Amino acid sequence: MENQSKAFTVFMACLGGILTGAKAIIRATSLFFMGFIGLLAEGAIASEDDANSEEGDLTGDYNFRTRKFDNGTDPYGWYEDDL
């Protein structure tokens, strides 16, 4: 009976060590991926100038949907003629 008690104590100590190691690996992996995603998000170029610019051909009709000038053939576009 004494040997079983010692074996159980050793088993629980080993199990605790394994779980502690697994937690450390999961934590390190999570921090790595969070940092990597943050790095990718930081590198993304999001410019409001592109979304609100009136650049384009500058020779066509102003498309209110895209907020750019085009040739007036956008089927979903909204032009001055539609006003």
Side-chain angles (χ1 to χ4, degrees):
M1 192 69 148
E2 186 177 319
N3 287 337
Q4 287 180 345
S5 177
K6 285 182 182 180
F8 182 74
T9 304
V10 170
F11 172 75
M12 291 304 289
C14 289
L15 185 62
I18 290 170
L19 291 176
T20 302
K23 279 196 243 179
I25 291 170
I26 290 171
R27 180 178 293 145
T29 305
S30 298
L31 289 174
F32 173 76
F33 280 116
M34 286 172 35
F36 185 69
I37 290 171
L39 182 67
L40 290 177
E42 195 174 296
I45 298 173
S47 175
E48 291 182 17
D49 293 338
D50 291 340
N52 294 328
S53 71
E54 294 182 6
E55 295 177 5
D57 293 335
L58 296 179
T59 58
D61 296 327
Y62 183 72
N63 187 342
F64 288 97
R65 182 180 69 86
T66 60
R67 296 185 179 139
K68 295 181 180 179
F69 288 93
D70 62 15
N71 60 1
T73 58
D74 183 6
Y76 301 106
W78 178 35
Y79 300 97
E80 286 185 16
D81 297 338
D82 297 331
L83 294 176

